[in-house]
Amino acid sequence: MKSIFFFSLKIVLFVFCCIVLSLVWPIILLFCKHDISNKIYARCLHYIYKYGLFAKLEYINLEKLDENKNYIYVANHQSYFDAVLCGLMIPKNCYSIAKDSLIFVPYFGLMYYLAGNFYIKRGHSEKAKKTLEEVIRKIKLKKCSIFILPQGTRSAGNEIAKLKRGFIRLAKDTETDILPFVISTYKISDILYHFRNKNPIYAKVCDKIDYRKPDDEILSELQIVMSNTIKELDALSEK
C-alpha cells in the first residue's frame, strides 16, 4: 500500500512539474539570451524534478566543466530521466541533438526546436548527414557546445550499446574535444515507488578525449570509459 501511495503522489507531482515547466520554458526563451536559454531550462528541469520527486542524486567532478571551453558532450542513455540528471551539467552556449520523432510530442517538440536544438532522422543517412552539417556550421559560427547521446537508443542496466560515429565527425570537423558524462544504472520505478530512491543515482564528468586521435581509437576509448565508469558508479551506489 505504501508503494502505491508514493507512486500516486509522485505521478501527481510529475504532472505538476510538467505544467510548471511548460509555463517556464516560453518565459525563458522570451527574456533570456539565446545562448543561456538551454542552460536555464536544463537547471529548471533538474531542480523541479529532483525536489518534486524527492530523487537522491549525486554528482562527481562537476569542477571539470568549463563554460569558457566548447566540447562535444556525450552521455550514456537509459531513459528520458537522463535529461533530468544531465540538466545540472549542461553549460551555457550548449545545444543538443535528439531523434526526430520527439518533434511530434505536443508542446515540447516545438519549444525544443525554438530553443535552437536539432532533430536528426535515424535510418535516413542523407537527412542525418544534412543535420550534422547544420550542427557543424552552428558550432563554427557560435563557438558553441553540443550535447548528444551516441548510443542513439536506450540500453537497460550497465550495458553500453554500440556507439554511433556522428559525434566523432562533429568533433573532427570543428576541432572540438569530447567530454563524457556517465550515469549509474537506475530504474524509474525505484524513484516512483519509494519516497526516496534507496540508492543514490550518480552522474560523473569524465576526462576529455582529444579529437585529434584516430576515429577508431576515440570510439574504443569512449566505449571503455563509459563501461568502466558505470561499474564504478554502480559500486558506489550499492554501498
Side-chain angles (χ1 to χ4, degrees):
M1 286 296 292
K2 186 182 290 187
S3 62
I4 298 298
F5 170 76
F6 286 135
F7 177 78
S8 302
L9 174 63
K10 290 196 172 187
I11 289 298
V12 171
L13 289 170
F14 176 80
V15 172
F16 173 76
C17 290
C18 288
I19 293 171
V20 171
L21 283 171
S22 69
L23 296 173
V24 167
W25 206 346
I27 294 172
I28 292 171
L29 292 178
L30 283 172
F31 296 103
C32 296
K33 291 182 179 179
H34 205 268
D35 63 346
I36 64 169
S37 60
N38 278 326
K39 174 183 176 179
I40 294 173
Y41 178 76
R43 295 297 190 278
C44 290
L45 181 74
H46 169 78
Y47 287 114
I48 287 175
Y49 282 106
K50 176 182 178 180
Y51 295 112
L53 298 180
F54 306 100
K56 192 187 296 183
L57 312 175
E58 299 289 343
Y59 292 87
I60 300 172
N61 292 345
L62 286 180
E63 68 277 2
K64 287 187 178 182
L65 295 173
D66 186 347
E67 293 194 325
N68 296 314
K69 292 183 179 179
N70 302 326
Y71 291 105
I72 306 299
Y73 294 102
V74 296
N76 57 314
H77 189 23
Q78 298 181 64
S79 80
Y80 291 117
F81 196 73
D82 296 343
V84 176
L85 290 157
C86 292
L88 191 63
M89 300 185 285
I90 297 298
K92 66 180 181 181
N93 203 23
C94 182
Y95 304 88
S96 61
I97 303 174
K99 58 183 180 180
D100 66 325
S101 58
L102 289 178
I103 198 170
F104 299 109
V105 177
Y107 189 80
F108 173 86
L110 175 62
M111 299 304 295
Y112 180 84
Y113 176 76
L114 292 177
N117 300 296
F118 297 88
Y119 288 111
I120 192 164
K121 190 171 182 63
R122 295 177 184 169
H124 196 298
S125 59
E126 283 304 311
K127 289 186 177 180
K129 183 179 177 181
K130 286 181 180 179
T131 300
L132 290 179
E133 288 171 354
E134 289 177 20
V135 176
I136 289 167
R137 283 196 294 271
K138 187 163 188 171
I139 294 173
K140 290 180 176 179
L141 180 65
K142 289 186 167 288
K143 305 298 181 184
C144 62
S145 297
I146 293 293
F147 176 78
I148 189 171
L149 301 170
Q151 287 175 259
T153 55
R154 289 168 286 173
S155 59
N158 57 13
E159 296 298 322
I160 297 293
K162 184 179 179 181
L163 303 176
K164 294 176 172 55
R165 292 174 174 262
F167 75 97
I168 298 178
R169 185 189 167 192
L170 294 179
K172 294 280 188 181
D173 287 3
T174 61
E175 300 181 347
T176 307
D177 290 330
I178 299 154
L179 193 66
F181 299 155
V182 180
I183 303 166
S184 63
T185 304
Y186 68 91
K187 294 180 180 179
I188 292 295
S189 57
D190 292 337
I191 299 171
L192 293 179
Y193 282 98
H194 302 88
F195 178 71
R196 297 195 76 183
N197 41 307
K198 181 180 177 182
N199 298 321
I201 302 170
Y202 283 90
K204 181 177 180 178
V205 182
C206 300
D207 293 331
K208 69 179 181 181
I209 299 174
D210 194 324
Y211 74 89
R212 291 169 292 188
K213 292 181 178 181
D215 291 15
D216 288 341
E217 187 176 334
I218 291 175
L219 199 66
S220 175
E221 182 175 344
L222 181 59
Q223 191 94 33
I224 292 169
V225 165
M226 284 187 163
S227 297
N228 290 344
T229 305
I230 287 179
K231 292 174 184 177
E232 171 198 331
L233 297 179
D234 285 355
L236 276 177
S237 181
E238 291 168 4
K239 284 184 179 180

